[in-house]
Amino acid sequence: MTTTTAPRLGTALARLLVLAAALLGMLLAGAAPASAHAALTGSDPGDGAVVATAPKEVGLIFSEQVAMSADSIRVLDPSGRRADTGEIINLCSGAVVKYGVALRAGLPDGTYTVAWQTVSADSHPIAGAFTFSIGAPSATSVALPEQTAGGGVVGALYGIARYLSYAGFAVLVGGGAFVLLCWPRGAGVRPVQRTVVRGWLTLTGATLAMLLLRGPYTGSGRLADVFDLAGLQAVLQTKTGAALTSRLLLLGAAALFVAVLFGAYARRTDPKERKDLAFGLGLGGTVVAAGIAGTWALAEHASTGIQPGIAMPVDILHLLAVAAWLGGLTTLLVALYRAPSVERAAVERFSRVAFVSVAALVATGLYQSWRQVGSWSALTGTRYGQLLLVKIGLMAVLVGIAWISRRWTRRLADRTASETGEEELEPDPESAEEELQEQDPQDGPDPERAAQLARQRAAVATARRKKARDADPERTGLRRSVLTEAAVAVVLLAVTTVLTSTEPGRTEEAARNGGTTAGSAAVPDRPVDIRLPFDTGGVDGEGVVRLSLDPGRTGANALHLFVERPNGKPLDVPEIKVNLTLEEKGVGPLPVAPDRIQTGHWSASGVQLPLPGEWRIQVTVRTSEIDQTTIEKNVKIG
């Protein structure tokens, strides 16, 4: 007869932690550090604009509210010196979120760089830079830092702390709920106690780490600034700092809840007293858990955008449902491996709790998806939407595995003592008495020896009972399916963590389309695709230039040029140049020097069209040392 030996819980949890670390590292590496809810949708002057005279101020327009500081906007002249006064001006009007900085008087002509960094209303840092020119473009010596806001070592550590805070919250809340609702006897089981306490410690440590890392995460990006007390004081005055501080205070109340649950409640034997204490713990624990969940809802995505009054309570319910399911699943996994006496009834009760949690997750998730994505195109065409699809897929896998676990639960047999042979494994009083009688009558019975024998027999009996339970195929199958659920849950939690720091699809699409500044509707993308015949008069001097400008709107565009012979085959020419002019606004000509990609194909990225209007596109084609021609066409840019 072959006995199935279950793997040790420590090994299983170690594998889960390695999987979590690896996946979280990959997701954090692939995530854009500056992803956030707010996005820059416009500026005055625009990116790449050429103005005749120096403006009095530079204004930035955002899709959502942002937190500005004294140094959030810097304007640098061609030599790299500050050209602004450092005075931030609030230019917000109605639904338009606009901030500016005043410029010094008497600025000379040349190209100026605008570098900005701020914090979105949902707590994520955002930064960027663009240029504009006074009079005419010029060379500039400005060198901007390569590291973006929220990136580097500090960004990675902050992301890990955010992941651990979610995991700790799930284990703390879900573990407590599992004991109260599903397995009251588990309050006295030491492995379950350690699991919940470790959840509390993880959440508390991660929250402290986030509080210390918050300053450099949204500011300098230097790890040494973690110990800057002035920066910490500034963080405490922000919305995120207040939320983290509130979470720490609520964790103090949660520590009292854990102490009572595993202390007074575990020792109660009177059913009525135990029931009354369970009611108080359930009520108080729900309030504390909802409060901790609220510290996320009040400071992140749910607090900004459309319908925040509905989104925040929905987000709290979503987090509580996640904790009840995944945290309860973790505690059940510990119970199955370290406390094999967990009853079938407890597993069945958790199955019902998990079903209710999944139903709540689906309902709240649908609302959150609509609110953050907004359209089918954003679901597949934005990073947020793609991550959301991954999360939905993992949820489906998790539900499928849970269905398998439910089948194992139905087959799980709570065997009686006679079925498992436990009666034969109990210490035999008569045998103990006979052994004592064998001792020298003059010495009398040895109490110490009797106690030692009793302990040995109890240990052997416990080991045999555990071995018998481990050999139960139904219980072994349940362990494996629950372990698989936990592994998928680790991945799901990692994806959710990255999702919370990613710019929502609705906002990303609005930024792509130029936003809704000045109350105007966003202009849909209309790529420019034109054909320009040319003839330089020399050998191989005839052909066609196919020009593509994508997305064909104000802001950054990708330019592609395809030079073809009259028969349609690619033609390699020595040089091709492009100039863009908006005569009605006095902008241009703006030169573009495309790079050769392959025979007959040239390309340039980041071609800036600062203003809408009728733009004249001039293409100069040179087919030899002396043969060249310039062709042009007007196109409408929205």
Side-chain angles (χ1 to χ4, degrees):
M1 178 178 178
T2 302
T3 303
T4 303
T5 303
R8 291 176 59 85
L9 178 63
T11 303
L13 287 182
R15 290 172 181 170
L16 290 180
L17 289 175
V18 170
L19 175 62
L23 182 76
L24 186 61
M26 288 188 294
L27 289 172
L28 289 174
S35 292
H37 201 160
L40 184 70
T41 59
S43 63
D44 185 18
D47 186 6
V50 180
V51 296
T53 58
K56 294 182 179 179
E57 63 194 23
V58 171
L60 305 181
I61 305 169
F62 297 92
S63 61
E64 301 285 351
Q65 189 58 251
V66 293
M68 304 294 290
S69 63
D71 206 35
S72 288
I73 305 175
R74 295 178 297 130
V75 182
L76 307 175
D77 67 14
S79 63
R81 292 175 298 189
R82 290 288 291 265
D84 62 274
T85 63
E87 178 187 355
I88 300 296
I89 307 171
N90 188 340
L91 302 173
C92 299
S93 177
V96 178
V97 180
K98 184 177 181 181
Y99 291 91
V101 62
L103 298 182
R104 302 182 186 277
L107 294 178
D109 290 354
T111 297
Y112 289 75
T113 301
V114 181
W116 56 272
Q117 179 170 334
T118 183
V119 180
S120 173
D122 61 358
S123 79
H124 303 297
I126 53 176
F130 64 91
T131 61
F132 71 93
S133 300
I134 300 174
S138 69
T140 177
S141 62
V142 176
L144 297 174
E146 295 182 0
Q147 181 174 315
T148 55
V153 175
V154 171
L157 291 175
Y158 194 87
I160 292 171
R162 181 187 283 122
Y163 175 84
L164 291 177
S165 67
Y166 281 121
F169 174 76
V171 173
L172 172 63
V173 174
F178 179 83
V179 171
L180 283 176
L181 298 176
C182 306
W183 196 32
R185 191 170 66 82
V189 176
R190 188 56 60 88
V192 172
Q193 294 176 354
R194 285 196 294 263
T195 300
V196 177
V197 170
R198 285 168 182 168
W200 183 90
L201 291 172
T202 300
L203 178 55
T204 303
T207 302
L208 284 170
M210 291 173 68
L211 195 59
L212 293 174
L213 289 167
R214 183 67 189 174
Y217 174 67
T218 60
S220 66
R222 295 189 296 268
L223 190 59
D225 288 346
V226 166
F227 305 104
D228 183 4
L229 295 181
L232 179 60
Q233 184 178 7
V235 167
L236 294 176
Q237 297 174 357
T238 64
K239 183 173 69 171
T240 302
L244 293 173
T245 305
S246 301
R247 188 181 303 166
L248 288 174
L249 295 174
L250 288 167
L251 282 169
L256 179 61
F257 167 88
V258 172
V260 174
L261 177 64
F262 297 139
Y265 178 77
R267 292 192 297 266
R268 285 287 190 276
T269 55
D270 183 80
K272 185 177 184 307
E273 291 182 0
R274 194 177 178 90
K275 183 178 180 181
D276 291 342
L277 189 53
F279 176 79
L281 285 171
L283 184 61
T286 301
V287 172
V288 173
I292 295 175
T295 61
W296 276 287
L298 291 170
E300 297 195 352
H301 283 170
S303 62
T304 60
I306 60 175
Q307 300 180 349
I310 300 175
M312 286 189 287
V314 168
D315 194 49
I316 292 173
L317 181 59
H318 190 82
L319 287 170
L320 292 176
V322 169
W325 185 16
L326 302 188
L329 186 69
T330 303
T331 311
L332 174 60
L333 180 65
V334 171
L336 287 171
Y337 276 94
R338 301 297 297 275
S341 59
V342 59
E343 300 91 351
R344 173 185 177 182
V347 181
E348 289 180 334
R349 283 192 288 268
F350 174 70
S351 182
R352 291 192 289 270
V353 170
F355 177 80
V356 174
S357 299
V358 170
L361 284 173
V362 170
T364 55
L366 284 173
Y367 172 77
Q368 289 179 329
S369 300
W370 166 81
R371 182 175 177 272
Q372 301 290 8
V373 178
S375 66
W376 292 109
S377 59
L379 187 62
T380 57
T382 65
R383 177 173 173 78
Y384 187 95
Q386 292 160 1
L387 283 172
L388 184 60
L389 289 175
V390 173
K391 181 180 177 180
I392 293 171
L394 290 172
M395 281 284 295
V397 171
L398 205 55
V399 170
I401 300 172
W403 177 78
I404 296 174
S405 298
R406 192 175 180 87
R407 291 188 62 190
W408 281 116
T409 302
R410 292 197 188 101
R411 297 169 60 181
L412 184 62
D414 274 341
R415 301 192 177 190
T416 62
S418 60
E419 289 175 316
T420 57
E422 291 180 8
E423 291 181 358
E424 299 175 3
L425 299 174
E426 293 296 334
D428 185 357
E430 294 182 1
S431 177
E433 185 178 349
E434 290 175 359
E435 186 167 344
L436 289 173
Q437 288 174 354
E438 292 177 358
Q439 300 180 33
D440 189 343
Q442 294 180 355
D443 296 339
D446 184 355
E448 184 178 347
R449 177 58 176 165
Q452 183 181 7
L453 288 172
R455 286 195 298 270
Q456 290 175 350
R457 291 178 181 278
V460 171
T462 300
R464 288 180 179 175
R465 284 197 300 270
K466 184 178 185 300
K467 185 176 181 181
R469 290 190 184 98
D470 288 346
D472 182 356
E474 284 77 18
R475 192 175 294 272
T476 301
L478 179 61
R479 284 195 187 101
R480 290 173 177 171
S481 63
V482 171
L483 180 61
T484 306
E485 278 189 82
V488 177
V490 166
V491 180
L492 177 65
L493 197 61
V495 173
T496 301
T497 302
V498 177
L499 200 61
T500 60
S501 61
T502 301
E503 182 180 357
R506 184 188 293 271
T507 307
E508 185 177 339
E509 278 210 332
R512 284 180 185 175
N513 296 330
T516 55
T517 59
S520 61
V523 178
D525 296 347
R526 295 187 180 90
V528 172
D529 193 356
I530 58 177
R531 293 173 60 86
L532 300 169
F534 67 89
D535 184 358
T536 63
V539 178
D540 277 340
E542 291 188 50
V544 175
V545 174
R546 288 195 297 110
L547 182 146
S548 173
L549 199 61
D550 189 15
R553 56 165 172 79
T554 56
N557 289 262
L559 176 68
H560 290 274
L561 297 161
F562 299 91
V563 183
E564 299 173 349
R565 300 176 186 273
N567 60 6
K569 293 183 178 181
L571 173 62
D572 210 8
V573 297
E575 184 182 26
I576 188 166
K577 297 184 294 185
V578 179
N579 282 294
L580 305 170
T581 306
L582 182 61
E583 291 184 345
E584 58 187 89
K585 299 291 185 180
V587 178
L590 305 178
V592 178
D595 298 319
R596 182 181 182 276
I597 305 301
Q598 60 184 11
T599 301
H601 182 195
W602 282 259
S603 175
S605 61
V607 177
Q608 296 291 336
L609 299 177
L611 297 172
E614 192 81 16
W615 283 82
R616 184 172 75 248
I617 299 179
Q618 293 178 313
V619 180
T620 300
V621 182
R622 182 167 64 84
T623 57
S624 70
E625 291 295 329
I626 59 174
D627 299 318
Q628 76 173 36
T629 185
T630 299
I631 46 182
E632 63 180 49
K633 190 169 185 177
N634 292 341
V635 297
K636 182 71 175 179
I637 300 296

PDB file of all heavy atoms in Angstrom, residues 301-321:
ATOM      1  N   HIS A 301      -7.166  55.499  -6.965  1.00  0.00           N
ATOM      2  CA  HIS A 301      -8.003  55.708  -8.141  1.00  0.00           C
ATOM      3  C   HIS A 301      -9.455  56.046  -7.810  1.00  0.00           C
ATOM      4  O   HIS A 301     -10.079  56.853  -8.482  1.00  0.00           O
ATOM      5  CB  HIS A 301      -7.978  54.446  -9.016  1.00  0.00           C
ATOM      6  CG  HIS A 301      -6.716  54.315  -9.808  1.00  0.00           C
ATOM      7  ND1 HIS A 301      -6.385  53.179 -10.505  1.00  0.00           N
ATOM      8  CD2 HIS A 301      -5.690  55.175 -10.029  1.00  0.00           C
ATOM      9  CE1 HIS A 301      -5.221  53.347 -11.107  1.00  0.00           C
ATOM     10  NE2 HIS A 301      -4.781  54.542 -10.829  1.00  0.00           N
ATOM     11  N   ALA A 302      -9.999  55.391  -6.776  1.00  0.00           N
ATOM     12  CA  ALA A 302     -11.426  55.580  -6.493  1.00  0.00           C
ATOM     13  C   ALA A 302     -11.756  57.011  -6.092  1.00  0.00           C
ATOM     14  O   ALA A 302     -12.899  57.454  -6.252  1.00  0.00           O
ATOM     15  CB  ALA A 302     -11.864  54.618  -5.391  1.00  0.00           C
ATOM     16  N   SER A 303     -10.768  57.746  -5.569  1.00  0.00           N
ATOM     17  CA  SER A 303     -11.042  59.091  -5.052  1.00  0.00           C
ATOM     18  C   SER A 303     -11.046  60.149  -6.141  1.00  0.00           C
ATOM     19  O   SER A 303     -11.358  61.310  -5.868  1.00  0.00           O
ATOM     20  CB  SER A 303      -9.995  59.455  -3.992  1.00  0.00           C
ATOM     21  OG  SER A 303      -8.698  59.491  -4.560  1.00  0.00           O
ATOM     22  N   THR A 304     -10.679  59.797  -7.371  1.00  0.00           N
ATOM     23  CA  THR A 304     -10.646  60.773  -8.451  1.00  0.00           C
ATOM     24  C   THR A 304     -11.456  60.253  -9.636  1.00  0.00           C
ATOM     25  O   THR A 304     -11.892  59.108  -9.658  1.00  0.00           O
ATOM     26  CB  THR A 304      -9.196  61.024  -8.913  1.00  0.00           C
ATOM     27  OG1 THR A 304      -8.634  59.789  -9.382  1.00  0.00           O
ATOM     28  CG2 THR A 304      -8.353  61.541  -7.765  1.00  0.00           C
ATOM     29  N   GLY A 305     -11.604  61.096 -10.635  1.00  0.00           N
ATOM     30  CA  GLY A 305     -12.360  60.677 -11.813  1.00  0.00           C
ATOM     31  C   GLY A 305     -13.858  60.867 -11.614  1.00  0.00           C
ATOM     32  O   GLY A 305     -14.311  61.668 -10.797  1.00  0.00           O
ATOM     33  N   ILE A 306     -14.641  60.093 -12.347  1.00  0.00           N
ATOM     34  CA  ILE A 306     -16.088  60.239 -12.308  1.00  0.00           C
ATOM     35  C   ILE A 306     -16.676  59.457 -11.137  1.00  0.00           C
ATOM     36  O   ILE A 306     -16.149  58.425 -10.729  1.00  0.00           O
ATOM     37  CB  ILE A 306     -16.722  59.767 -13.639  1.00  0.00           C
ATOM     38  CG1 ILE A 306     -16.405  58.286 -13.897  1.00  0.00           C
ATOM     39  CG2 ILE A 306     -16.235  60.609 -14.799  1.00  0.00           C
ATOM     40  CD1 ILE A 306     -17.082  57.719 -15.120  1.00  0.00           C
ATOM     41  N   GLN A 307     -17.734  59.961 -10.567  1.00  0.00           N
ATOM     42  CA  GLN A 307     -18.518  59.322  -9.510  1.00  0.00           C
ATOM     43  C   GLN A 307     -17.674  58.853  -8.329  1.00  0.00           C
ATOM     44  O   GLN A 307     -17.781  57.698  -7.889  1.00  0.00           O
ATOM     45  CB  GLN A 307     -19.302  58.129 -10.084  1.00  0.00           C
ATOM     46  CG  GLN A 307     -20.259  58.489 -11.181  1.00  0.00           C
ATOM     47  CD  GLN A 307     -21.008  57.271 -11.731  1.00  0.00           C
ATOM     48  OE1 GLN A 307     -20.679  56.126 -11.430  1.00  0.00           O
ATOM     49  NE2 GLN A 307     -22.023  57.522 -12.537  1.00  0.00           N
ATOM     50  N   PRO A 308     -16.835  59.701  -7.735  1.00  0.00           N
ATOM     51  CA  PRO A 308     -16.033  59.249  -6.594  1.00  0.00           C
ATOM     52  C   PRO A 308     -16.893  58.878  -5.386  1.00  0.00           C
ATOM     53  O   PRO A 308     -16.496  58.026  -4.588  1.00  0.00           O
ATOM     54  CB  PRO A 308     -15.126  60.445  -6.297  1.00  0.00           C
ATOM     55  CG  PRO A 308     -15.842  61.623  -6.878  1.00  0.00           C
ATOM     56  CD  PRO A 308     -16.566  61.110  -8.079  1.00  0.00           C
ATOM     57  N   GLY A 309     -18.055  59.519  -5.233  1.00  0.00           N
ATOM     58  CA  GLY A 309     -18.934  59.208  -4.107  1.00  0.00           C
ATOM     59  C   GLY A 309     -19.444  57.780  -4.138  1.00  0.00           C
ATOM     60  O   GLY A 309     -19.724  57.182  -3.083  1.00  0.00           O
ATOM     61  N   ILE A 310     -19.582  57.215  -5.330  1.00  0.00           N
ATOM     62  CA  ILE A 310     -19.994  55.813  -5.468  1.00  0.00           C
ATOM     63  C   ILE A 310     -18.766  54.912  -5.524  1.00  0.00           C
ATOM     64  O   ILE A 310     -18.756  53.820  -4.952  1.00  0.00           O
ATOM     65  CB  ILE A 310     -20.846  55.620  -6.741  1.00  0.00           C
ATOM     66  CG1 ILE A 310     -22.110  56.489  -6.669  1.00  0.00           C
ATOM     67  CG2 ILE A 310     -21.205  54.161  -6.947  1.00  0.00           C
ATOM     68  CD1 ILE A 310     -22.939  56.460  -7.931  1.00  0.00           C
ATOM     69  N   ALA A 311     -17.721  55.383  -6.183  1.00  0.00           N
ATOM     70  CA  ALA A 311     -16.539  54.548  -6.419  1.00  0.00           C
ATOM     71  C   ALA A 311     -15.830  54.170  -5.129  1.00  0.00           C
ATOM     72  O   ALA A 311     -15.337  53.043  -4.995  1.00  0.00           O
ATOM     73  CB  ALA A 311     -15.575  55.271  -7.355  1.00  0.00           C
ATOM     74  N   MET A 312     -15.773  55.077  -4.144  1.00  0.00           N
ATOM     75  CA  MET A 312     -15.032  54.775  -2.916  1.00  0.00           C
ATOM     76  C   MET A 312     -15.702  53.672  -2.093  1.00  0.00           C
ATOM     77  O   MET A 312     -15.020  52.718  -1.687  1.00  0.00           O
ATOM     78  CB  MET A 312     -14.824  56.051  -2.107  1.00  0.00           C
ATOM     79  CG  MET A 312     -13.770  56.978  -2.715  1.00  0.00           C
ATOM     80  SD  MET A 312     -13.298  58.363  -1.657  1.00  0.00           S
ATOM     81  CE  MET A 312     -14.770  59.393  -1.809  1.00  0.00           C
ATOM     82  N   PRO A 313     -17.019  53.724  -1.827  1.00  0.00           N
ATOM     83  CA  PRO A 313     -17.630  52.586  -1.125  1.00  0.00           C
ATOM     84  C   PRO A 313     -17.526  51.276  -1.906  1.00  0.00           C
ATOM     85  O   PRO A 313     -17.331  50.212  -1.310  1.00  0.00           O
ATOM     86  CB  PRO A 313     -19.098  53.019  -0.964  1.00  0.00           C
ATOM     87  CG  PRO A 313     -19.083  54.498  -1.061  1.00  0.00           C
ATOM     88  CD  PRO A 313     -17.980  54.826  -2.003  1.00  0.00           C
ATOM     89  N   VAL A 314     -17.650  51.350  -3.227  1.00  0.00           N
ATOM     90  CA  VAL A 314     -17.510  50.142  -4.052  1.00  0.00           C
ATOM     91  C   VAL A 314     -16.099  49.578  -3.931  1.00  0.00           C
ATOM     92  O   VAL A 314     -15.908  48.352  -3.839  1.00  0.00           O
ATOM     93  CB  VAL A 314     -17.854  50.456  -5.524  1.00  0.00           C
ATOM     94  CG1 VAL A 314     -17.441  49.314  -6.432  1.00  0.00           C
ATOM     95  CG2 VAL A 314     -19.341  50.734  -5.669  1.00  0.00           C
ATOM     96  N   ASP A 315     -15.101  50.468  -3.908  1.00  0.00           N
ATOM     97  CA  ASP A 315     -13.715  50.016  -3.787  1.00  0.00           C
ATOM     98  C   ASP A 315     -13.475  49.347  -2.429  1.00  0.00           C
ATOM     99  O   ASP A 315     -12.761  48.345  -2.340  1.00  0.00           O
ATOM    100  CB  ASP A 315     -12.773  51.206  -3.966  1.00  0.00           C
ATOM    101  CG  ASP A 315     -11.332  50.781  -4.188  1.00  0.00           C
ATOM    102  OD1 ASP A 315     -11.117  49.912  -5.050  1.00  0.00           O
ATOM    103  OD2 ASP A 315     -10.441  51.299  -3.518  1.00  0.00           O
ATOM    104  N   ILE A 316     -14.054  49.893  -1.374  1.00  0.00           N
ATOM    105  CA  ILE A 316     -13.923  49.286  -0.041  1.00  0.00           C
ATOM    106  C   ILE A 316     -14.533  47.886  -0.042  1.00  0.00           C
ATOM    107  O   ILE A 316     -13.925  46.929   0.467  1.00  0.00           O
ATOM    108  CB  ILE A 316     -14.598  50.180   1.021  1.00  0.00           C
ATOM    109  CG1 ILE A 316     -13.811  51.480   1.189  1.00  0.00           C
ATOM    110  CG2 ILE A 316     -14.722  49.449   2.355  1.00  0.00           C
ATOM    111  CD1 ILE A 316     -14.483  52.500   2.084  1.00  0.00           C
ATOM    112  N   LEU A 317     -15.729  47.757  -0.613  1.00  0.00           N
ATOM    113  CA  LEU A 317     -16.367  46.442  -0.680  1.00  0.00           C
ATOM    114  C   LEU A 317     -15.533  45.475  -1.510  1.00  0.00           C
ATOM    115  O   LEU A 317     -15.410  44.284  -1.162  1.00  0.00           O
ATOM    116  CB  LEU A 317     -17.769  46.588  -1.283  1.00  0.00           C
ATOM    117  CG  LEU A 317     -18.601  45.298  -1.409  1.00  0.00           C
ATOM    118  CD1 LEU A 317     -18.807  44.655  -0.042  1.00  0.00           C
ATOM    119  CD2 LEU A 317     -19.953  45.607  -2.058  1.00  0.00           C
ATOM    120  N   HIS A 318     -14.943  45.961  -2.585  1.00  0.00           N
ATOM    121  CA  HIS A 318     -14.098  45.123  -3.439  1.00  0.00           C
ATOM    122  C   HIS A 318     -12.887  44.591  -2.657  1.00  0.00           C
ATOM    123  O   HIS A 318     -12.563  43.401  -2.729  1.00  0.00           O
ATOM    124  CB  HIS A 318     -13.626  45.947  -4.642  1.00  0.00           C
ATOM    125  CG  HIS A 318     -12.955  45.151  -5.712  1.00  0.00           C
ATOM    126  ND1 HIS A 318     -13.638  44.450  -6.674  1.00  0.00           N
ATOM    127  CD2 HIS A 318     -11.633  44.932  -5.969  1.00  0.00           C
ATOM    128  CE1 HIS A 318     -12.789  43.834  -7.473  1.00  0.00           C
ATOM    129  NE2 HIS A 318     -11.558  44.117  -7.071  1.00  0.00           N
ATOM    130  N   LEU A 319     -12.227  45.469  -1.902  1.00  0.00           N
ATOM    131  CA  LEU A 319     -11.065  45.059  -1.119  1.00  0.00           C
ATOM    132  C   LEU A 319     -11.439  44.061  -0.029  1.00  0.00           C
ATOM    133  O   LEU A 319     -10.705  43.102   0.232  1.00  0.00           O
ATOM    134  CB  LEU A 319     -10.395  46.290  -0.505  1.00  0.00           C
ATOM    135  CG  LEU A 319      -9.618  47.194  -1.465  1.00  0.00           C
ATOM    136  CD1 LEU A 319      -9.218  48.482  -0.782  1.00  0.00           C
ATOM    137  CD2 LEU A 319      -8.382  46.474  -1.983  1.00  0.00           C
ATOM    138  N   LEU A 320     -12.585  44.275   0.622  1.00  0.00           N
ATOM    139  CA  LEU A 320     -13.030  43.348   1.666  1.00  0.00           C
ATOM    140  C   LEU A 320     -13.351  41.978   1.071  1.00  0.00           C
ATOM    141  O   LEU A 320     -13.055  40.938   1.682  1.00  0.00           O
ATOM    142  CB  LEU A 320     -14.250  43.910   2.395  1.00  0.00           C
ATOM    143  CG  LEU A 320     -14.005  45.151   3.269  1.00  0.00           C
ATOM    144  CD1 LEU A 320     -15.306  45.649   3.860  1.00  0.00           C
ATOM    145  CD2 LEU A 320     -13.001  44.854   4.379  1.00  0.00           C
ATOM    146  N   ALA A 321     -13.951  41.965  -0.106  1.00  0.00           N
ATOM    147  CA  ALA A 321     -14.261  40.691  -0.758  1.00  0.00           C
ATOM    148  C   ALA A 321     -12.985  39.952  -1.147  1.00  0.00           C
ATOM    149  O   ALA A 321     -12.886  38.726  -0.990  1.00  0.00           O
ATOM    150  CB  ALA A 321     -15.145  40.935  -1.986  1.00  0.00           C
TER     151      ALA A 321
END
